[in-house]
Amino acid sequence: MSAPDTEVERPEVSIPLPETHRDAMRLGDEGYRRDSPALFAELRRRHGPVAPVLLAWDVPAWLVMGYSELLQVTSDPDLFARSFRRWNLFDDLPPEWPMWPLIGGGFASEAMLYTEGEEHRRRSVVFAEALSRIDQWEFEEFCQRASHRLIEEFAQDGEVELISAYAQRLPVLALGWMVGVPEEYHDDLVTGFLQLMGAGGDPIEGMARVGAICDRLAERAMKEPGPYVASHLAHSGLGLTHEQLSADIFITIIAGHQTCAGWIGNTIRLMLTDQTHTNALTRGRRSVTEAAREVLKDDTPTQIFAGRWAARTTQLAGTTIQGGDMVLLGLAASHQDPLFRPPGRPRERHHSRAYLSFSHGPHGCPHMARAMAEIITVGGIETLLTHLPDLHLAVPADRLRWQPQVLIRALETLPVTFTPPTISTDPLGDSLWL
């Protein structure tokens, strides 16, 4: 969400800025977009594992970058609570604040994600059941067919921009099949998600666009039982209201879409630019799965997750956090912590899978959802490279630009060239990239 003040007119509003944040760094500027890892390293050098930062409109927050501190925050939902209604700035920010849609504002406030205590436990159990009802083999087969169909649209062109043509579209097809989204809504969902995340216009407009679709999906799910996540939630006995179901549909789709789209793009970029992967993969010694998991450690698309709110004044790594303060989970920054990445160890020898890209604790991403995200990402890339094994970047790697977002690290574009296949390739056939 780079320079959101220029995209959304800022009304006259006075936002209290505590003394602790007088000289804090502002997340989302050009330097952040270009090299967020360097900014995180600078914040760690200045402040240690917990740093004061500013969001859009200079809204103060605390960014937790320490690995053990993140485990502490995500494991203690009583102290670091999930509902934004605890925020001490809740009454100071108008509805136009561009990050409201990303922390639970608007219709998403009714989603399970922002509940606490017993309500969260009940709804999360039913959501996990809904995911477990999906046949993973059938889901994987559908993802392969969807990948194949998308690739056929550009396979004979010899060039394509992969983010818009593939990385953004494949997760919508896959998640739409899982949740129960008719294909007629797919393009509007992608447009709305990009707006909402600050990468394609007004986030409030994006929220309205996506919200209207989710309302229609909720109405359909309540009327028509079926083998979809939305239908299971609607008829599970939870007694969800229309607003709650609509919000859960929204969170389910956007959480999977934005992370998978970024994960696909970041992994392809790594495989096309990093000689370690390029040479090894060409010789068939490393897999797409290994590259994708390396991205979760070194270039995760979920670089910051918002948010938590301190239920009372507390100390975290020697920093005093006032009751009601916003706490941001610095997932990407935690992977730079020496506790996670011992100093002096070469990157290719750092094999830890204890990364926090899916967060942690009772509000972390469900395990079944993690598996499905990997099916979408790894399967999508394997199918792409099976069809187009001589994929190459169409521009120098240093000309690739990152989307203007604070929470998600994803490429704006990924232009590539390739030799059009002369015959249709079996999507399950052999490939040097597998």
Side-chain angles (χ1 to χ4, degrees), residues 266-298 347-350 385 432-434:
N266 294 1
T267 302
I268 294 175
R269 168 186 170 272
L270 175 69
M271 297 177 72
L272 298 183
T273 60
D274 189 306
Q275 192 172 21
T276 301
H277 284 274
T278 302
N279 289 348
L281 282 162
T282 301
R283 294 192 297 269
R285 296 207 316 223
R286 300 187 75 181
S287 68
V288 174
T289 299
E290 289 178 284
R293 290 177 179 170
E294 185 167 320
V295 163
L296 291 183
K297 291 185 294 185
D298 298 331
R347 189 190 69 185
E348 59 269 19
R349 293 184 58 195
H350 176 65
L385 297 176
L432 294 173
W433 292 89
L434 300 185

Side-chain angles (χ1 to χ4, degrees), residues 271-352:
M271 297 177 72
L272 298 183
T273 60
D274 189 306
Q275 192 172 21
T276 301
H277 284 274
T278 302
N279 289 348
L281 282 162
T282 301
R283 294 192 297 269
R285 296 207 316 223
R286 300 187 75 181
S287 68
V288 174
T289 299
E290 289 178 284
R293 290 177 179 170
E294 185 167 320
V295 163
L296 291 183
K297 291 185 294 185
D298 298 331
D299 199 19
T300 178
T302 49
Q303 62 180 357
I304 293 177
F305 196 86
R308 300 290 191 273
W309 285 268
R312 60 182 183 275
T313 299
T314 188
Q315 290 266 326
L316 184 63
T319 298
T320 299
I321 298 176
Q322 298 296 324
D325 280 1
M326 178 194 282
V327 175
L328 303 173
L329 308 183
L331 306 180
S334 74
H335 296 166
Q336 299 175 0
D337 190 317
L339 184 63
F340 177 80
R341 187 183 303 277
R345 180 177 296 179
R347 189 190 69 185
E348 59 269 19
R349 293 184 58 195
H350 176 65
H351 299 303
S352 175

Side-chain angles (χ1 to χ4, degrees), residues 21-87:
H21 287 70
R22 293 295 176 188
D23 298 314
M25 285 190 183
R26 186 167 186 254
L27 303 181
D29 62 11
E30 179 60 32
Y32 179 86
R33 189 196 328 186
R34 183 177 59 253
D35 192 0
S36 56
L39 182 139
F40 296 145
E42 175 62 17
L43 283 173
R44 187 187 302 275
R45 185 187 67 78
R46 289 190 192 182
H47 302 285
V50 180
V53 294
L54 300 175
L55 299 173
W57 299 7
D58 291 338
V59 169
W62 296 99
L63 179 64
V64 181
M65 301 177 292
Y67 187 82
S68 61
E69 287 76 14
L70 262 177
L71 293 179
Q72 179 182 345
V73 168
T74 53
S75 299
D76 191 350
D78 293 329
L79 179 56
F80 296 100
R82 195 66 186 90
S83 174
F84 67 88
R85 293 178 178 86
R86 297 175 180 269
W87 196 9

Side-chain angles (χ1 to χ4, degrees), residues 386-408:
T386 296
H387 283 69
L388 310 174
D390 66 340
L391 210 62
H392 297 284
L393 276 180
V395 299
D398 59 7
R399 286 180 54 190
L400 295 174
R401 291 175 55 85
W402 300 96
Q403 290 180 16
Q405 302 187 39
V406 169
L407 308 185
I408 297 291

Side-chain angles (χ1 to χ4, degrees), residues 374-389:
E374 186 164 298
I375 287 172
I376 296 171
T377 299
V378 172
I381 297 174
E382 287 178 345
T383 303
L384 177 72
L385 297 176
T386 296
H387 283 69
L388 310 174

Side-chain angles (χ1 to χ4, degrees), residues 13 18 25 36 52 70 80 117-118 120 124 140 156 184 189 207 214 218 274 280 289-290 305 307 354 365 398 408:
V13 58
M25 285 190 183
S36 56
L70 262 177
F80 296 100
E118 180 59 21
H120 179 265
S124 62
E140 184 171 0
Q156 296 305 313
E184 64 198 75
L189 282 176
M207 179 64 116
C214 291
D274 189 306
T289 299
E290 289 178 284
F305 196 86
C365 182
D398 59 7
I408 297 291

Side-chain angles (χ1 to χ4, degrees), residues 10-268:
R10 177 175 177 175
E12 292 296 327
V13 58
S14 178
I15 302 169
L17 192 64
E19 188 63 35
T20 52
H21 287 70
R22 293 295 176 188
D23 298 314
M25 285 190 183
R26 186 167 186 254
L27 303 181
D29 62 11
E30 179 60 32
Y32 179 86
R33 189 196 328 186
R34 183 177 59 253
D35 192 0
S36 56
L39 182 139
F40 296 145
E42 175 62 17
L43 283 173
R44 187 187 302 275
R45 185 187 67 78
R46 289 190 192 182
H47 302 285
V50 180
V53 294
L54 300 175
L55 299 173
W57 299 7
D58 291 338
V59 169
W62 296 99
L63 179 64
V64 181
M65 301 177 292
Y67 187 82
S68 61
E69 287 76 14
L70 262 177
L71 293 179
Q72 179 182 345
V73 168
T74 53
S75 299
D76 191 350
D78 293 329
L79 179 56
F80 296 100
R82 195 66 186 90
S83 174
F84 67 88
R85 293 178 178 86
R86 297 175 180 269
W87 196 9
N88 50 26
L89 295 181
F90 179 76
D91 295 324
D92 297 310
L93 288 168
E96 296 82 7
W97 186 52
M99 293 196 71
W100 269 127
L102 305 179
I103 67 167
F107 82 91
S109 64
E110 297 295 326
M112 175 198 72
L113 186 65
Y114 307 112
T115 58
E116 298 176 355
E118 180 59 21
E119 182 183 2
H120 179 265
R121 190 199 66 78
R122 285 191 316 111
R123 290 175 65 176
S124 62
V125 166
V126 172
F127 182 71
E129 290 174 353
L131 293 179
S132 68
R133 287 159 56 95
I134 298 170
D135 187 309
Q136 287 199 46
W137 295 108
E138 188 178 358
F139 180 68
E140 184 171 0
E141 183 181 356
F142 174 84
C143 289
Q144 289 180 335
R145 293 199 308 270
S147 300
H148 184 86
R149 194 180 87 196
L150 291 175
I151 294 165
E152 284 186 332
E153 293 182 8
F154 55 77
Q156 296 305 313
D157 297 339
E159 60 182 9
V160 70
E161 195 287 287
L162 280 175
I163 300 300
S164 59
Y166 196 67
Q168 287 283 353
R169 295 178 65 194
L170 177 59
V172 169
L173 293 173
L175 294 164
W177 180 88
M178 180 182 79
V179 175
V181 182
E183 193 168 338
E184 64 198 75
Y185 297 137
H186 291 173
D187 288 343
D188 277 348
L189 282 176
V190 171
T191 300
F193 289 157
L194 290 175
Q195 288 179 305
L196 192 153
M197 298 301 295
D202 182 354
I204 306 301
E205 180 184 324
M207 179 64 116
R209 180 192 297 267
V210 175
I213 294 173
C214 291
D215 279 341
R216 292 195 289 271
L217 294 173
E219 183 177 0
R220 176 173 174 257
M222 285 182 158
K223 290 180 179 178
E224 304 174 10
Y228 308 112
V229 169
S231 295
H232 181 76
L233 295 178
H235 301 277
S236 63
L238 276 175
L240 296 179
T241 66
H242 175 91
E243 291 74 18
Q244 289 172 327
L245 179 58
S246 177
D248 279 347
I249 292 171
F250 163 73
I251 292 296
T252 300
I253 300 174
I254 192 171
H257 176 268
Q258 285 296 294
T259 51
C260 285
W263 196 6
I264 290 170
N266 294 1
T267 302
I268 294 175

